[in-house]
Amino acid sequence: MKKLVFGSVVIMAFIAGSLSCCSAKKSPEKGATTDTVHGFAIMELFTSQGCSSCPPADELLGKYAAQNNPNIIPLSFHVDYWNRLGWKDSFSDAAFSQRQRTYASQIVNSSVYTPQLVINGVTEMVGSEVNKVEAAVKMALLHKPSATIVVNSTEIKKDAIVIGYNITGNVSKADVLALLVQTKANTKIKAGENNGAMLTSYNVVRSMQSMPAKPAGTCTLALPSSFEKDKFSVVLLIQQKDNLAITGAARVKL
């Protein structure tokens, strides 16, 4: 497979498919497809239900989610620093705020704000700027992948899910980030800047774990109390330790 370079970043393959899972271990369904022709766009939106500027960005992310393009993975990370201003976001997590701060320390001329969109770990912009977002996504998709990450098993336990994976490619300086993602959620806001609004969030990250990448491994994610299998998916990202570039991704439905 040819290796192409996106700027200074080697782009790795995006693996997508559907996966049935229950209390026993399952493997990807026979006939699941893998798109190794195009690059991928990991869209990380840092948002909050307490921010009046965020709903347009949430809706834009939802439009990308509705495309069901296997090479585009929209993700919604709800930060917690808006919680002190009148409304506690039920999806917020201090770990998501820290992830955003880490990007701000790495990406040139970046800062911490909402709604902020980071694409493939290297490009950031206001999450509601339609034209800039579209251009960045198209740029990411232009570059062919050169390696793969595959989810080969899942096992749902009482309060956690265990994911098995394999990676083809050099992972000596990378981490694997495992995410449990809720497809859609509606929330009635009762205080703060969005008081009275009914907000819809898309591809909400509910659980996250990071670990050093290796050719074959497993990771475990906690399940929320409201977990319903058919409303969730698992996303695995390969992220370089030095420049935070996301160089591989896999997504499977549960």
Side-chain angles (χ1 to χ4, degrees):
M1 188 176 293
K2 292 183 179 179
K3 180 182 293 184
L4 296 183
V5 177
F6 178 31
S8 61
V9 180
V10 177
I11 296 299
M12 302 178 71
F14 164 70
I15 306 301
S18 64
L19 186 70
S20 295
C21 116
C22 56
S23 59
K25 289 184 179 180
K26 292 289 185 178
S27 298
E29 294 178 353
K30 184 177 180 180
T33 60
T34 299
D35 186 345
T36 58
V37 176
H38 298 92
F40 59 86
I42 309 304
M43 305 174 67
E44 297 182 62
L45 178 65
F46 294 93
T47 185
S48 172
Q49 294 173 347
C51 165
S52 61
S53 300
C54 287
D58 296 330
E59 290 302 315
L60 180 58
L61 194 79
K63 290 180 180 179
Y64 279 94
Q67 293 178 10
N68 291 317
N69 185 329
N71 292 73
I72 298 176
I73 303 181
L75 299 167
S76 181
F77 289 86
H78 287 236
V79 298
D80 70 339
Y81 49 82
W82 276 91
N83 290 351
R84 67 184 185 275
L85 300 177
W87 175 256
K88 184 176 181 179
D89 190 325
S90 57
F91 302 126
S92 64
D93 193 310
F96 303 158
S97 301
Q98 181 55 47
R99 181 167 177 79
Q100 186 185 24
R101 286 192 289 268
T102 301
Y103 275 135
S105 68
Q106 177 65 41
I107 299 174
V108 176
N109 297 324
S110 181
S111 61
V112 174
Y113 63 90
T114 54
Q116 183 179 38
L117 183 69
V118 177
I119 295 182
N120 285 359
V122 296
T123 305
E124 70 88 21
M125 64 212 67
V126 177
S128 55
E129 293 188 337
V130 178
N131 293 337
K132 287 186 178 181
V133 172
E134 181 181 8
V137 169
K138 286 182 177 180
M139 179 64 69
L141 294 175
L142 285 176
H143 300 268
K144 294 182 180 180
S146 60
T148 61
I149 175 172
V150 177
V151 175
N152 52 40
S153 68
T154 63
E155 182 181 6
I156 294 180
K157 299 184 176 180
K158 181 178 179 180
D159 56 0
I161 180 170
V162 180
I163 305 108
Y165 68 87
N166 290 96
I167 297 174
T168 301
N170 184 4
V171 295
S172 62
K173 298 181 180 179
D175 290 323
V176 168
L177 185 73
L179 306 170
L180 181 68
V181 179
Q182 184 174 346
T183 303
K184 187 177 180 180
N186 296 312
T187 307
K188 178 68 174 180
I189 309 302
K190 299 179 180 179
E193 291 188 359
N194 291 316
N195 186 24
M198 176 65 76
L199 300 183
T200 302
S201 302
Y202 302 89
N203 288 4
V204 184
V205 176
R206 301 297 306 275
S207 183
M208 177 175 71
Q209 183 194 15
S210 179
M211 69 225 76
K214 50 187 177 180
T218 61
C219 47
T220 302
L221 292 170
L223 299 178
S225 58
S226 58
F227 177 75
E228 296 180 48
K229 183 177 67 175
D230 61 347
K231 296 181 180 179
F232 283 79
S233 62
V234 165
V235 172
L236 297 186
L237 304 177
I238 301 174
Q239 189 156 36
Q240 301 303 304
K241 295 179 180 180
D242 55 355
N243 60 9
L244 303 182
I246 296 173
T247 54
R251 174 174 56 183
V252 291
K253 294 180 180 180
L254 299 181

